Amino acid sequence: MRVWFAVLAISCHAARTAPLPLSPCTPKDSPQPLQCGRLSVPENRSNPSGRFISIQVAVVPATGERTSPPLYDFAGGPGISEVASAGYWLTDGAIHRRHRDVVLVDQRGTGGSAFLDCPELSLGDASAEVFPDAAVESCRARLSQNADLAHYSTAETVADVDAVRAALGHDRIDISGLSYGSRVAQEYLRAHPDRVRAAVLLGAVSPEVKLPLTFAATAEETLEALARQCARDPDCHAAVPDLMADVRGIAAPPQFWEALRAQMITTDAQRRLPWLLHRAASGERGPLLEAMSPHPDGASTALLLAVECPEDTLRATGAERATAAAGPFGDYRLRRQTAACRIWGVPPLPDSRPSFVTGDVPVLLLAGEMDSVTPPRWAEEIARHLRHARVVTIPNLGHFPAGLSHMECYDQIIAQFFEAGSAEKLDTSCIQEMRPPPFSIASH
């Protein structure tokens, strides 16, 4: 994706990394103890004698004989703690641990890894401005006292992960990533193809997008697809005769539409929206506002700025920005994030870069048909540049992998791919059993 990843001398650093001792721990919301450790890494790898930060690592142990490479998973956001997902790997995700450990690394700036804490920058509140100037200024001033915000990037994260790999004595690994985590996975694969046996990308981010430039357009596409689904459903169509007409009839401030966009990432939320939007168009906006929820607790919105400002937002051209103004969602998020990025003060990264990752590593890409953030066509574009890649699109699924019946099929496909180390003979027939919930048209 970006040539500037090659600038970091990460391989040499990883080779010098001391072993990482592990000891029992019980992360928050984890139903049982894990093995945890901390690795000290330079905040700025071009200045190894400068400040160091501590990276939190949790290892979820295999349930059987270790015959497969460890799996390193990367969280979305950016800004979400990976270690906080331990509960999933101990329950529904245990299928992935039958013959290998799962390694969870909190990205720098999240969770237990030099957390960039700015609660005043919470997202998803329909009544609040996104990235208020004063809050961004206050956040940046406070964090800058103890952190160099120019070094909380995807590139540094890739370097941290490889340092953890070396410290744990892992030669080759499998990798997976959801949403922004798919960017980390792609960049790790670009930097260290010889270290990766196989990779899974879930809700994959195209290396050519400049977030949040695409947010409004992809959300509108999904809303229009939802309207078509509602029109084909007798009960939904009877209750909501014309969803897009309802959307056009809602007069609301831009932060309302941004909060609505944020609600569209899950299948469950999408199946409630037609009726809630219909009521809002009739003047009953309360139920829709009640259904909206802010950004996940514990997520670092400051890290989102640290990553996306130089890597995405500030690199958008004037012509690209102009195309984001149409449609119900408009360019509000883009304008507010651009203003925040200018206050943040980290300059955009160079635009001279390779684009899509290439190579021979087997890659499976799972895409949700109703993904309002990372549409399936992005996965198809990524796959075209890889020699051994396959895209599996899940009908009716939103951005987040939940909400359909028989969701165990999703994990079974992933586990089958990793077990074989190839996507060529995957049995995906269980997808036919995955169904969305009925449209919610009750007043509640």
Side-chain angles (χ1 to χ4, degrees):
M1 179 170 143
R2 294 167 169 83
V3 74
W4 22 269
F5 276 89
V7 175
L8 294 174
I10 58 179
S11 296
C12 292
H13 173 77
R16 296 193 302 267
T17 302
L20 173 58
L22 300 175
S23 58
C25 68
T26 306
K28 182 181 178 182
D29 299 327
S30 175
Q32 65 188 65
L34 308 177
Q35 292 291 309
C36 295
R38 307 193 69 87
L39 184 68
S40 182
V41 299
E43 184 184 50
N44 176 1
R45 283 181 165 79
S46 65
N47 180 23
S49 62
R51 180 164 44 209
F52 275 64
I53 58 176
S54 177
I55 302 299
Q56 177 171 261
V57 180
V59 178
V60 192
T63 58
E65 183 183 2
R66 291 175 175 84
T67 57
S68 298
L71 172 62
Y72 282 60
D73 185 65
F74 308 129
I80 297 174
S81 163
E82 176 64 33
V83 173
S85 72
Y88 161 76
W89 299 102
L90 289 164
T91 54
D92 291 346
I95 187 175
H96 305 296
R97 300 166 39 232
R98 289 182 296 199
H99 298 292
R100 44 106 155 273
D101 295 340
V102 174
V103 180
L104 312 177
V105 181
D106 269 348
Q107 178 179 6
R108 57 169 62 194
T110 73
S113 298
F115 183 59
L116 299 180
D117 187 13
C118 282
E120 65 267 41
L121 296 184
S122 176
L123 295 173
D125 187 339
S127 63
E129 184 180 24
V130 172
F131 297 133
D133 289 353
V136 176
E137 290 173 354
S138 171
C139 169
R140 184 188 184 283
R142 185 172 70 254
L143 294 180
S144 295
Q145 295 177 12
N146 299 296
D148 184 343
L149 299 177
H151 295 285
Y152 287 74
S153 64
T154 304
E156 294 285 4
T157 294
V158 167
D160 293 341
V161 169
D162 200 58
V164 170
R165 178 204 59 75
L168 290 176
H170 296 149
D171 182 23
R172 297 186 76 202
I173 61 176
D174 289 340
I175 59 175
S176 63
L178 168 66
S179 192
Y180 168 73
S182 75
R183 173 183 287 185
V184 176
Q186 289 174 77
E187 294 311 323
Y188 188 88
L189 180 58
R190 188 194 306 283
H192 304 286
D194 57 325
R195 295 298 184 187
V196 181
R197 185 193 69 123
V200 170
L201 309 180
L202 314 173
V205 179
S206 167
E208 293 199 333
V209 302
K210 302 170 185 175
L211 302 173
L213 196 64
T214 55
F215 279 5
T218 54
E220 185 177 5
E221 290 173 6
T222 303
L223 195 57
E224 290 173 345
L226 190 64
R228 292 191 294 271
Q229 288 187 346
C230 180
R232 293 193 297 266
D233 182 282
D235 292 336
C236 187
H237 182 62
V240 187
D242 190 338
L243 176 58
M244 295 311 292
D246 287 336
V247 169
R248 291 189 293 271
I250 298 174
Q255 56 264 38
F256 168 90
W257 295 104
E258 170 56 19
L260 176 66
R261 184 199 65 78
Q263 293 305 300
M264 294 174 60
I265 65 170
T266 68
T267 301
D268 287 337
Q270 289 180 11
R271 306 297 280 190
R272 293 191 297 268
L273 274 183
W275 177 242
L276 292 173
L277 287 168
H278 182 67
R279 295 184 67 187
S282 302
E284 298 179 72
R285 200 177 298 175
L288 179 57
L289 293 174
E290 290 175 10
M292 295 181 181
S293 58
H295 205 55
D297 290 338
S300 173
T301 305
L303 182 70
L304 184 150
L305 293 178
V307 170
E308 290 188 2
C309 287
E311 298 182 21
D312 296 279
T313 312
L314 293 178
R315 295 176 48 250
T317 67
E320 289 170 333
R321 295 176 191 280
T323 64
F329 298 98
D331 64 348
Y332 174 72
R333 171 62 183 268
L334 177 62
R335 286 187 290 106
R336 290 308 314 148
Q337 188 157 322
T338 300
C341 289
R342 288 171 179 154
I343 294 170
W344 201 251
V346 177
L349 292 170
D351 198 31
S352 57
R353 71 198 194 284
S355 182
F356 293 92
V357 178
T358 60
D360 296 319
V361 173
V363 179
L364 173 66
L365 301 98
L366 289 181
E369 177 192 34
M370 296 290 289
D371 192 329
S372 61
V373 182
T374 58
R377 65 177 178 274
W378 291 4
E380 297 285 354
E381 292 168 354
I382 293 168
R384 280 197 290 271
H385 294 80
L386 295 161
R387 293 186 185 91
H388 303 291
R390 178 174 174 181
V391 177
V392 175
T393 300
I394 311 295
N396 300 299
L397 187 66
H399 182 60
F400 191 75
L404 303 181
S405 63
H406 297 288
M407 278 304 301
E408 68 275 6
C409 173
Y410 195 88
D411 284 307
Q412 288 169 3
I413 292 172
I414 295 171
Q416 183 188 160
F417 165 76
F418 275 133
E419 183 175 351
S422 170
E424 291 182 3
K425 297 181 180 180
L426 283 181
D427 179 5
T428 62
S429 59
C430 62
I431 292 176
Q432 299 173 17
E433 305 300 320
M434 302 176 77
R435 297 282 187 273
F439 282 101
S440 175
I441 57 174
S443 61
H444 61 277

